[in-house]
Amino acid sequence: TNPPTNPPTQGPGGCSASVSLNSWTGGFVATVRVTAGSSGTNGWTVGMTLPSGATITNAWNTQRSGNSGAVTFTNVSFNGRIAAGQSTEFGFQGTGSGSGMTPSCSAT
């Protein structure tokens, strides 16, 4: 696996998110790791802004809102509850460049 391209960011609600990319000319796959804070989560939401010209074509292990610009990802039934300090991953494929995406995370 590639190292995260951006450091994890801690958001309100006790979770952090980091993204790593596998890029090629004209497209990319992003893997996002969501890590629970000290209280764990019952659900999470990750937001990020895609670079200009980037569009999401597919996503897995998440529900997404939006395909370009500012997008939001939320947990699905099987990966919302994360124990303290543990993590889960989801991913998405896109066209264009995914370089420079910085996720933010909030937990419920």
Side-chain angles (χ1 to χ4, degrees), residues 8-64:
T9 55
Q10 182 77 30
C15 65
S16 61
S18 61
V19 62
S20 58
L21 286 175
N22 182 0
S23 299
W24 58 88
T25 301
F28 63 93
V29 168
T31 301
V32 182
R33 177 179 292 261
V34 178
T35 303
S38 59
S39 59
T41 70
N42 290 317
W44 48 262
T45 300
V46 171
M48 71 178 80
T49 299
L50 274 61
S52 178
T55 302
I56 296 174
T57 57
N58 189 24
W60 49 94
N61 297 338
T62 186
Q63 295 178 0
R64 79 176 188 269

Side-chain angles (χ1 to χ4, degrees), residues 35 37-38 65-67 73 95 105-106:
T35 303
S38 59
S65 174
N67 292 321
F73 303 91
T95 59
C105 185
S106 61

